[in-house]
Amino acid sequence: MQDLLLVTILFPLVGMALVALAAPWGRAVVRQSALTTALITLVLAAVLVAHFPHGVAAGSHAPDFAVTELRWLGEHSPIDIRFAIGLDGLSVWLFGLTALLTLTAVLVSWESIKDRAAGFYALLLLLETGMLGVFAARDIILFYIFFEFTLIPLFFLIGIWGSEERRYAAAKFFLFTFAGSVLTFLGLLAIVIWQYLSSPAHELTFSIPRLTAALAKNPLPIDAAHGYLQLVVFLALLAGFAIKVPMFPLHTWLPLAHTQAPAAGSVLLAGVLLKIGSYGFLRFSIPMLPQATAWCVPLLLWLSVIGIVYGALLALAQTDMKRLVACSSVSHMGFVMLGIFALNAQGLQGGVLQMLNHGISTGALFALVGMLYERYHTRRIADLGGLARRLPRLAFFLVLFSLSSIGLPGTNGFPGEFLILTGMFQRGWSQAPAGLGWQLLVIAVLAVSGVVLGAWYMLSLVQRVLFGPLREPEVHVESGGRKNEGGGVAGHGAADVLPHSAVRDLSFREVMALTPLAVFVFWIGLVPNDFLQPIAPAVESLAAPADAALQQRYGRSENPNGVASSSPGLSARGLPWEAALNAFSSTPTGLRPGGAAAATPMGLIASKGPVTPGSPPAARNLGLEDATPLRLNRRGSIPLVTDATP
């Protein structure tokens, strides 16, 4: 599998060369070369995901998969820089999502890109290599190289094939993200230098796993006696990753970049590139700088919930479909960050799952907006109405992905948002650090309002565009010219008006671009555990130091019974079920001797009998005679169960 991972990352570069060589044979050959490359890359990525070990128990070490390491400067060099790649539970689904959405991006660009098609598809495949490499990199230098490879191709994709303000949008996108990436790189270099100066061997290593392990034993200082270097480095990483997410108030580049980018650029920007920011927090900031993370948790949670509500309100005010979906990304990524910085198992797993969900749902919505634009050459919501009767297949997919975006039960958005909100309420109620309980509960309640606002703007969009009286704009196209995605016309000639009868429903190619995403909408929505199992051990091992640092910094608050709330550890609050049950039964939480607690959709259940390693949890057998429901006290919290409990 090591060689397969390397081939998967580099294969789009081979396809890029083939696209360049195919340019003299015309646009059809170029498109077919790009499609073949994207399809083969997806198959290779699917093989890797299918062979990834899914049975690692929570609480145990999450091993890396398909690891390849080649020293760049030789075995005897004092500088340890390596071409090191591998996958773990945090990156494996994002790796597969990248390959899937690249195929979608190629298919949605099939007819819309007529000018310099070879250059467009070559940059698209170069961007794919950069995105795949970012999620597989295990060396800081390699990570940064792949990170920059994601900036340059998208800069040209927006600047050349975008809409009217494409050059301004491309410049703003590049300046924001490049400035942030420089600060991030300086912060990572500071970590490397600290480890070099403080380690007995004085080894200058850039290995991400080795640095994470070393900093767990010898963290950067963060106190008055030794200085606040850890906090400074955390803020440097925060600057780069928060811009990439983007978090409020560093989000201003995103709506413009989305609106001006071609459809394929918007699909990959929303579906994959925004996830690099949240991935960076999980890969670097939280595990390497746990004390600084604990210091900044209240601020980051407030910024996250402000982004949720503010992004939703922005989306409500939009008259442009593409800009509405772009603003919704600010709100959805706010949910991702809220789950991550809840720093408990439910929140972390929900945050990572929601990264995947957002890429699927929002990537599909941008593809659909591009398909509508190809037919009517407008993105104005007021220009369209009643399209369900003319475009039933497009209407079906638009309704499906809109419901997925708002988290309808049974679709992929529901388990992610449910876990995030559960984790946030748990952090604010039963796991609240001393003095922060009321703040965290307010944040959790405000986050729920984001769900309501999300349903409002998405259902309003669906109602106005698909239902009611049929309303279609006149489609003006210049003879001998082409109309770009933003509404401007390139070329000269007399204006032709296309009849409405020329507008056709989704083609087979467009249906095939959306169908795989629709499959994942239901798969994740109905069987989320298939996707959570690889995620659980990875996020547990990465975030456990920050969770401990949070408790150490703020202490533990008193629960409504007057008993200090305890945090049994990430594994006891997450997946798989067996590890959670064993953790509960082995901690002095006041359960009956040999008993255990199990989380179910109905709440917590305490079992009177012991739970053996082979026993199914009570959640899977609600008919057990000795299962005793844990009752809520008058404030709604779960009291401790003892033999004296009536």
Side-chain angles (χ1 to χ4, degrees), residues 590-622:
L591 293 174
R592 295 180 176 88
T600 75
M602 311 297 292
L604 288 177
I605 288 179
S607 173
K608 297 178 182 177
V611 177
T612 62
S615 300
R620 296 179 183 170
N621 188 4
L622 299 181

Side-chain angles (χ1 to χ4, degrees), residues 578-602:
E578 288 79 9
L581 293 175
N582 291 334
F584 270 109
S585 62
S586 62
T587 54
T589 56
L591 293 174
R592 295 180 176 88
T600 75
M602 311 297 292

Side-chain angles (χ1 to χ4, degrees), residues 24-188:
W25 280 270
R27 186 165 67 104
V29 179
V30 166
R31 294 184 306 188
Q32 292 166 4
S33 301
L35 177 61
T36 302
T37 302
L39 190 58
I40 293 175
T41 304
L42 175 59
V43 171
L44 296 175
V47 172
L48 285 166
V49 173
H51 283 82
F52 185 85
H54 287 60
V56 180
S60 60
H61 176 66
D64 287 346
F65 173 71
V67 175
T68 297
E69 290 195 0
L70 302 171
R71 289 187 69 105
W72 183 48
L73 298 178
E75 292 292 335
H76 303 291
S77 173
I79 303 177
D80 182 18
I81 300 177
R82 307 183 182 209
F83 181 88
I85 54 176
L87 297 175
D88 64 0
L90 177 59
S91 60
V92 63
W93 291 120
L94 297 174
F95 189 86
L97 177 68
T98 300
L100 177 61
L101 288 181
T102 301
L103 178 62
T104 301
V106 170
L107 290 172
V108 300
S109 307
W110 202 259
E111 296 294 340
S112 61
I113 302 300
K114 298 180 173 63
D115 187 26
R116 291 176 282 187
F120 177 88
Y121 288 110
L123 288 171
L124 205 63
L125 295 174
L126 178 62
L127 178 60
E128 182 178 21
T129 288
M131 295 184 297
L132 292 172
V134 160
F135 296 126
R138 291 163 45 91
D139 183 274
I140 286 177
I141 298 296
L142 187 64
F143 173 86
Y144 189 74
I145 290 172
F146 281 126
F147 186 88
E148 295 304 317
F149 263 90
T150 66
L151 302 184
I152 298 171
L154 190 59
F155 169 77
F156 287 109
L157 288 172
I158 297 173
I160 298 175
W161 290 275
S163 301
E164 308 99 322
E165 300 180 62
R166 56 187 178 273
R167 290 184 176 85
Y168 174 66
K172 188 173 184 178
F173 158 77
F174 186 81
L175 290 175
F176 263 79
T177 52
F178 182 72
S181 69
V182 170
L183 289 173
T184 297
F185 186 60
L186 292 176
L188 294 175

Side-chain angles (χ1 to χ4, degrees), residues 427-484:
R427 176 59 72 186
W429 191 263
S430 61
Q431 300 172 5
L436 295 181
W438 70 269
Q439 288 191 56
L440 301 182
L441 286 175
V442 169
I443 289 171
V445 172
L446 289 175
V448 174
S449 71
V451 178
V452 178
L453 292 173
W456 185 359
Y457 62 71
M458 287 308 305
L459 294 179
S460 176
L461 172 68
V462 168
Q463 188 272 330
R464 286 183 286 173
V465 172
L466 298 183
F467 302 106
L470 182 63
R471 185 170 59 255
E472 298 175 289
E474 291 185 345
V475 182
H476 293 271
V477 179
E478 293 282 345
S479 301
R482 64 176 180 87
K483 192 163 185 176
N484 63 35

Side-chain angles (χ1 to χ4, degrees), residues 510-634:
E510 292 169 319
V511 171
M512 287 298 100
L514 297 171
T515 298
L517 303 179
V519 170
F520 278 97
V521 164
F522 291 111
W523 187 1
I524 299 175
L526 297 174
V527 197
N529 196 47
D530 288 352
F531 298 84
L532 289 171
Q533 276 190 344
I535 294 171
V539 297
E540 174 192 334
S541 59
L542 290 174
D547 182 43
L550 185 67
Q551 298 294 344
Q552 182 180 4
R553 171 164 174 76
Y554 294 100
R556 294 171 178 174
S557 62
E558 297 290 318
N559 70 13
N561 294 307
V563 182
S565 63
S566 62
S567 178
L570 288 170
S571 62
R573 302 189 298 274
L575 296 176
W577 291 106
E578 288 79 9
L581 293 175
N582 291 334
F584 270 109
S585 62
S586 62
T587 54
T589 56
L591 293 174
R592 295 180 176 88
T600 75
M602 311 297 292
L604 288 177
I605 288 179
S607 173
K608 297 178 182 177
V611 177
T612 62
S615 300
R620 296 179 183 170
N621 188 4
L622 299 181
L624 288 177
E625 295 180 357
D626 59 352
T628 303
L630 296 182
R631 293 170 293 181
L632 302 180
N633 62 21
R634 62 177 179 271

